[in-house]
Amino acid sequence: MALSLSKSLSNPARRRLRTLGFLSPWLVGFSVFFAYPLIATVYFSFMHYNQIKEPTFVGLRNWTYVFDQMPLFGPALWNTLWLVVIMVAVRVVFGLSLGLLITKIKTGAGFFRTAFYLPYLAPPVAATVAFVFLLNPGTGPVNEMLGAIGISGPNWFNDPDTAKPSLVLLSLWGIGDLMVIFMAALLDVPKEQYEAAELDGAGAWAKFRYVTWPSITPIVMFAVVTGVVQTMQYYTQALVAGKVASGVNIGPGSVIQPGYPEHSTLTVPQLVYSMGFQNFNTGAACVLSLVLFAIAMAVTTLLMRKRSGLLAAED
């Protein structure tokens, strides 16, 4: 009996079947939530489909429409890429700086850690509405305080030149997630390395460059990659900020035209929603989704290269 059991376990076909059984939860999740949606998106990008009638094949007509005839595609793509570059970089630098500061504080670290983390827990819509109120150019407390010291405050979300920087400030208000991640990484750096660096006469910058940075680069890579993916899907905050700043009431059944002011806060995910669920142009929405996917994959692949500057090349 033991011999037959050993033979059955050593059978290559049975081993493959057993391995497939262990992999089946991942395979089901991958197929349902990634492979099928991706294949369906590619399929519908070549179809005319209004979600009512049967789809009909139109070839490259949807792709031609998006790249040659859609007037808002260029501004939306530019805004999205601008936010990816600026917002991700500023958030990583600010989150790392806060983590370094709080880990060095001797007293009151718990209070500051809680104070910086609490805004991250606020719902995105509520946090955005509150932030737009604070930066209201006419009645907001921020401009009132600036006026009290003789500084004329900007128009923030009501000016195309400052709308995207205002979104970056909004993202810094909820920096608590990155701050906690970087604090955990910084506290994990061996103290013996800092002590050895001090014995060698290293200053604060040298200790950060040669001790701290090499130890936390995987966490920085994680923050950058996840930040790029999240920002490529940036939708709620930009949409709510634009509508609240424009003074339009958002109620049941209201059709929201994103991008206020002057399409400066319009992002590609907003355009995907507008084309797919407001204009019922599913083919064009699928093309926009594939463009986002391709850009996100290209940027992530570039960042994950060993010699990209964040990860050292292995010997």
Side-chain angles (χ1 to χ4, degrees), residues 188-224:
D188 198 44
V189 179
K191 295 182 179 179
E192 294 80 6
Q193 296 184 12
Y194 288 117
E195 295 172 355
E198 289 180 358
L199 292 176
D200 290 338
W205 170 248
K207 286 191 289 186
F208 174 80
R209 180 179 179 183
Y210 295 108
V211 178
T212 304
W213 182 255
S215 300
I216 67 171
T217 45
I219 307 303
V220 175
M221 171 62 70
F222 170 80
V224 172

Short mmCIF file of all heavy atoms in Angstrom, two decimals, residues 188-224:
data_model
loop_
_atom_site.label_atom_id
_atom_site.label_comp_id
_atom_site.label_asym_id
_atom_site.label_seq_id
_atom_site.Cartn_x
_atom_site.Cartn_y
_atom_site.Cartn_z
N ASP A 188 13.48 50.28 10.79
CA ASP A 188 14.05 48.95 10.55
C ASP A 188 15.52 49.00 10.15
O ASP A 188 16.16 47.96 10.03
CB ASP A 188 13.24 48.24 9.47
CG ASP A 188 13.47 46.73 9.46
OD1 ASP A 188 13.49 46.13 10.55
OD2 ASP A 188 13.64 46.16 8.36
N VAL A 189 16.05 50.20 9.92
CA VAL A 189 17.47 50.32 9.56
C VAL A 189 18.31 49.97 10.79
O VAL A 189 18.09 50.52 11.87
CB VAL A 189 17.79 51.75 9.08
CG1 VAL A 189 19.27 51.88 8.73
CG2 VAL A 189 16.93 52.10 7.87
N PRO A 190 19.29 49.07 10.67
CA PRO A 190 20.10 48.68 11.83
C PRO A 190 20.83 49.88 12.46
O PRO A 190 21.50 50.64 11.77
CB PRO A 190 21.10 47.67 11.24
CG PRO A 190 20.44 47.16 10.00
CD PRO A 190 19.65 48.31 9.46
N LYS A 191 20.69 50.03 13.77
CA LYS A 191 21.35 51.13 14.46
C LYS A 191 22.86 50.98 14.46
O LYS A 191 23.59 51.97 14.57
CB LYS A 191 20.83 51.22 15.90
CG LYS A 191 19.35 51.56 15.99
CD LYS A 191 18.90 51.69 17.44
CE LYS A 191 17.43 52.07 17.52
NZ LYS A 191 16.97 52.18 18.95
N GLU A 192 23.34 49.74 14.34
CA GLU A 192 24.79 49.53 14.33
C GLU A 192 25.44 50.23 13.15
O GLU A 192 26.59 50.70 13.24
CB GLU A 192 25.10 48.03 14.27
CG GLU A 192 24.67 47.24 15.51
CD GLU A 192 23.19 46.92 15.49
OE1 GLU A 192 22.54 47.21 14.47
OE2 GLU A 192 22.70 46.38 16.51
N GLN A 193 24.72 50.32 12.03
CA GLN A 193 25.29 51.00 10.86
C GLN A 193 25.42 52.50 11.11
O GLN A 193 26.40 53.12 10.69
CB GLN A 193 24.41 50.73 9.64
CG GLN A 193 24.36 49.26 9.24
CD GLN A 193 23.57 49.05 7.96
OE1 GLN A 193 23.23 49.99 7.24
NE2 GLN A 193 23.26 47.78 7.66
N TYR A 194 24.44 53.08 11.80
CA TYR A 194 24.55 54.49 12.15
C TYR A 194 25.73 54.73 13.10
O TYR A 194 26.47 55.71 12.98
CB TYR A 194 23.26 55.00 12.79
CG TYR A 194 22.12 55.14 11.83
CD1 TYR A 194 20.97 54.38 11.98
CD2 TYR A 194 22.17 56.05 10.78
CE1 TYR A 194 19.90 54.52 11.11
CE2 TYR A 194 21.11 56.18 9.90
CZ TYR A 194 19.98 55.40 10.07
OH TYR A 194 18.93 55.55 9.20
N GLU A 195 25.90 53.84 14.06
CA GLU A 195 27.00 53.98 15.02
C GLU A 195 28.35 53.85 14.32
O GLU A 195 29.29 54.61 14.62
CB GLU A 195 26.86 52.93 16.11
CG GLU A 195 25.62 53.11 16.98
CD GLU A 195 25.41 51.95 17.94
OE1 GLU A 195 26.19 50.97 17.85
OE2 GLU A 195 24.46 52.01 18.76
N ALA A 196 28.46 52.92 13.38
CA ALA A 196 29.70 52.77 12.63
C ALA A 196 29.97 54.01 11.78
O ALA A 196 31.13 54.46 11.66
CB ALA A 196 29.64 51.53 11.75
N ALA A 197 28.92 54.58 11.20
CA ALA A 197 29.09 55.78 10.39
C ALA A 197 29.54 56.96 11.25
O ALA A 197 30.38 57.77 10.83
CB ALA A 197 27.78 56.12 9.68
N GLU A 198 29.01 57.07 12.47
CA GLU A 198 29.43 58.15 13.37
C GLU A 198 30.90 57.99 13.77
O GLU A 198 31.63 58.99 13.87
CB GLU A 198 28.54 58.16 14.61
CG GLU A 198 27.12 58.65 14.35
CD GLU A 198 26.29 58.65 15.62
OE1 GLU A 198 26.83 58.24 16.67
OE2 GLU A 198 25.11 59.05 15.56
N LEU A 199 31.32 56.76 13.98
CA LEU A 199 32.73 56.54 14.31
C LEU A 199 33.64 56.93 13.16
O LEU A 199 34.79 57.35 13.39
CB LEU A 199 32.96 55.06 14.67
CG LEU A 199 32.32 54.57 15.98
CD1 LEU A 199 32.53 53.08 16.16
CD2 LEU A 199 32.89 55.35 17.17
N ASP A 200 33.14 56.82 11.94
CA ASP A 200 33.93 57.22 10.77
C ASP A 200 33.83 58.72 10.49
O ASP A 200 34.40 59.20 9.50
CB ASP A 200 33.46 56.45 9.53
CG ASP A 200 33.84 54.98 9.61
OD1 ASP A 200 34.78 54.66 10.37
OD2 ASP A 200 33.19 54.16 8.94
N GLY A 201 33.08 59.45 11.33
CA GLY A 201 32.97 60.89 11.17
C GLY A 201 31.93 61.34 10.17
O GLY A 201 31.99 62.47 9.68
N ALA A 202 30.96 60.47 9.86
CA ALA A 202 29.93 60.83 8.88
C ALA A 202 28.94 61.81 9.49
O ALA A 202 28.54 61.68 10.64
CB ALA A 202 29.19 59.57 8.40
N GLY A 203 28.55 62.80 8.69
CA GLY A 203 27.54 63.76 9.11
C GLY A 203 26.14 63.25 8.82
O GLY A 203 25.94 62.10 8.40
N ALA A 204 25.15 64.14 8.99
CA ALA A 204 23.76 63.74 8.80
C ALA A 204 23.49 63.34 7.35
O ALA A 204 22.82 62.33 7.08
CB ALA A 204 22.83 64.88 9.23
N TRP A 205 24.00 64.14 6.40
CA TRP A 205 23.77 63.83 5.00
C TRP A 205 24.47 62.53 4.58
O TRP A 205 23.89 61.72 3.84
CB TRP A 205 24.22 64.98 4.11
CG TRP A 205 24.23 64.64 2.65
CD1 TRP A 205 25.30 64.51 1.84
CD2 TRP A 205 23.07 64.35 1.83
NE1 TRP A 205 24.92 64.17 0.58
CE2 TRP A 205 23.56 64.07 0.53
CE3 TRP A 205 21.71 64.32 2.07
CZ2 TRP A 205 22.71 63.76 -0.51
CZ3 TRP A 205 20.86 64.00 1.01
CH2 TRP A 205 21.37 63.73 -0.26
N ALA A 206 25.68 62.34 5.04
CA ALA A 206 26.42 61.13 4.69
C ALA A 206 25.74 59.89 5.26
O ALA A 206 25.66 58.84 4.60
CB ALA A 206 27.85 61.22 5.20
N LYS A 207 25.21 59.99 6.48
CA LYS A 207 24.51 58.84 7.06
C LYS A 207 23.24 58.53 6.28
O LYS A 207 22.90 57.36 6.08
CB LYS A 207 24.18 59.13 8.53
CG LYS A 207 25.40 59.04 9.44
CD LYS A 207 25.01 59.06 10.90
CE LYS A 207 24.51 60.44 11.31
NZ LYS A 207 24.25 60.50 12.78
N PHE A 208 22.54 59.58 5.83
CA PHE A 208 21.33 59.33 5.04
C PHE A 208 21.69 58.71 3.69
O PHE A 208 21.02 57.77 3.24
CB PHE A 208 20.56 60.63 4.82
CG PHE A 208 19.38 60.48 3.89
CD1 PHE A 208 18.19 59.95 4.36
CD2 PHE A 208 19.48 60.85 2.55
CE1 PHE A 208 17.10 59.79 3.50
CE2 PHE A 208 18.39 60.70 1.70
CZ PHE A 208 17.21 60.17 2.18
N ARG A 209 22.74 59.24 3.06
CA ARG A 209 23.09 58.77 1.72
C ARG A 209 23.65 57.36 1.73
O ARG A 209 23.30 56.55 0.84
CB ARG A 209 24.11 59.73 1.10
CG ARG A 209 24.55 59.34 -0.30
CD ARG A 209 25.54 60.33 -0.86
NE ARG A 209 25.99 59.94 -2.19
CZ ARG A 209 26.90 60.61 -2.90
NH1 ARG A 209 27.46 61.71 -2.39
NH2 ARG A 209 27.25 60.18 -4.10
N TYR A 210 24.50 57.02 2.69
CA TYR A 210 25.21 55.74 2.63
C TYR A 210 24.63 54.68 3.57
O TYR A 210 24.99 53.50 3.45
CB TYR A 210 26.69 55.95 2.97
CG TYR A 210 27.41 56.81 1.96
CD1 TYR A 210 27.78 58.12 2.27
CD2 TYR A 210 27.69 56.33 0.69
CE1 TYR A 210 28.42 58.93 1.34
CE2 TYR A 210 28.34 57.12 -0.25
CZ TYR A 210 28.69 58.42 0.08
OH TYR A 210 29.33 59.22 -0.85
N VAL A 211 23.75 55.07 4.50
CA VAL A 211 23.17 54.10 5.43
C VAL A 211 21.66 54.00 5.23
O VAL A 211 21.12 52.93 4.97
CB VAL A 211 23.50 54.47 6.90
CG1 VAL A 211 22.84 53.47 7.84
CG2 VAL A 211 25.00 54.49 7.12
N THR A 212 20.97 55.15 5.34
CA THR A 212 19.51 55.12 5.30
C THR A 212 19.00 54.78 3.91
O THR A 212 18.17 53.88 3.74
CB THR A 212 18.94 56.48 5.74
OG1 THR A 212 19.44 56.81 7.03
CG2 THR A 212 17.42 56.44 5.78
N TRP A 213 19.49 55.51 2.90
CA TRP A 213 18.95 55.35 1.55
C TRP A 213 19.11 53.93 1.01
O TRP A 213 18.14 53.37 0.47
CB TRP A 213 19.58 56.36 0.61
CG TRP A 213 19.04 56.30 -0.78
CD1 TRP A 213 19.65 55.80 -1.88
CD2 TRP A 213 17.74 56.73 -1.23
NE1 TRP A 213 18.84 55.89 -2.98
CE2 TRP A 213 17.65 56.47 -2.61
CE3 TRP A 213 16.66 57.32 -0.58
CZ2 TRP A 213 16.53 56.77 -3.36
CZ3 TRP A 213 15.53 57.62 -1.32
CH2 TRP A 213 15.47 57.34 -2.69
N PRO A 214 20.28 53.29 1.10
CA PRO A 214 20.37 51.91 0.58
C PRO A 214 19.42 50.95 1.29
O PRO A 214 18.99 49.96 0.68
CB PRO A 214 21.84 51.54 0.84
CG PRO A 214 22.56 52.84 0.91
CD PRO A 214 21.60 53.79 1.54
N SER A 215 19.09 51.23 2.54
CA SER A 215 18.22 50.31 3.29
C SER A 215 16.75 50.48 2.93
O SER A 215 15.97 49.53 3.05
CB SER A 215 18.41 50.52 4.79
OG SER A 215 19.74 50.28 5.18
N ILE A 216 16.36 51.68 2.52
CA ILE A 216 14.93 51.93 2.28
C ILE A 216 14.57 52.02 0.80
O ILE A 216 13.42 52.28 0.46
CB ILE A 216 14.48 53.23 2.98
CG1 ILE A 216 15.15 54.46 2.33
CG2 ILE A 216 14.76 53.18 4.46
CD1 ILE A 216 14.60 55.78 2.82
N THR A 217 15.54 51.80 -0.09
CA THR A 217 15.22 51.90 -1.52
C THR A 217 14.12 50.95 -1.98
O THR A 217 13.31 51.33 -2.84
CB THR A 217 16.49 51.68 -2.37
OG1 THR A 217 17.22 50.55 -1.88
CG2 THR A 217 17.37 52.91 -2.37
N PRO A 218 14.02 49.71 -1.45
CA PRO A 218 12.87 48.88 -1.87
C PRO A 218 11.53 49.49 -1.47
O PRO A 218 10.55 49.38 -2.22
CB PRO A 218 13.12 47.55 -1.15
CG PRO A 218 14.59 47.52 -0.89
CD PRO A 218 14.97 48.94 -0.62
N ILE A 219 11.48 50.15 -0.32
CA ILE A 219 10.23 50.79 0.12
C ILE A 219 9.94 52.01 -0.75
O ILE A 219 8.78 52.29 -1.08
CB ILE A 219 10.32 51.17 1.60
CG1 ILE A 219 10.72 49.95 2.43
CG2 ILE A 219 9.00 51.73 2.08
CD1 ILE A 219 9.78 48.77 2.28
N VAL A 220 10.99 52.74 -1.11
CA VAL A 220 10.79 53.88 -2.01
C VAL A 220 10.27 53.40 -3.36
O VAL A 220 9.35 54.01 -3.94
CB VAL A 220 12.10 54.67 -2.18
CG1 VAL A 220 11.94 55.79 -3.19
CG2 VAL A 220 12.56 55.26 -0.84
N MET A 221 10.82 52.30 -3.86
CA MET A 221 10.33 51.73 -5.11
C MET A 221 8.86 51.34 -5.00
O MET A 221 8.05 51.63 -5.89
CB MET A 221 11.17 50.51 -5.49
CG MET A 221 10.61 49.71 -6.65
SD MET A 221 10.53 50.65 -8.18
CE MET A 221 12.28 50.80 -8.55
N PHE A 222 8.51 50.72 -3.89
CA PHE A 222 7.10 50.35 -3.67
C PHE A 222 6.20 51.58 -3.67
O PHE A 222 5.13 51.58 -4.29
CB PHE A 222 6.98 49.61 -2.33
CG PHE A 222 5.56 49.40 -1.88
CD1 PHE A 222 4.79 48.37 -2.41
CD2 PHE A 222 5.00 50.24 -0.92
CE1 PHE A 222 3.48 48.19 -1.99
CE2 PHE A 222 3.69 50.06 -0.51
CZ PHE A 222 2.94 49.03 -1.04
N ALA A 223 6.64 52.65 -2.99
CA ALA A 223 5.84 53.87 -2.92
C ALA A 223 5.70 54.51 -4.30
O ALA A 223 4.62 55.01 -4.65
CB ALA A 223 6.47 54.85 -1.94
N VAL A 224 6.76 54.50 -5.08
CA VAL A 224 6.70 55.12 -6.41
C VAL A 224 5.81 54.32 -7.35
O VAL A 224 4.94 54.88 -8.04
CB VAL A 224 8.12 55.26 -7.00
CG1 VAL A 224 8.06 55.71 -8.45
CG2 VAL A 224 8.94 56.26 -6.18
#
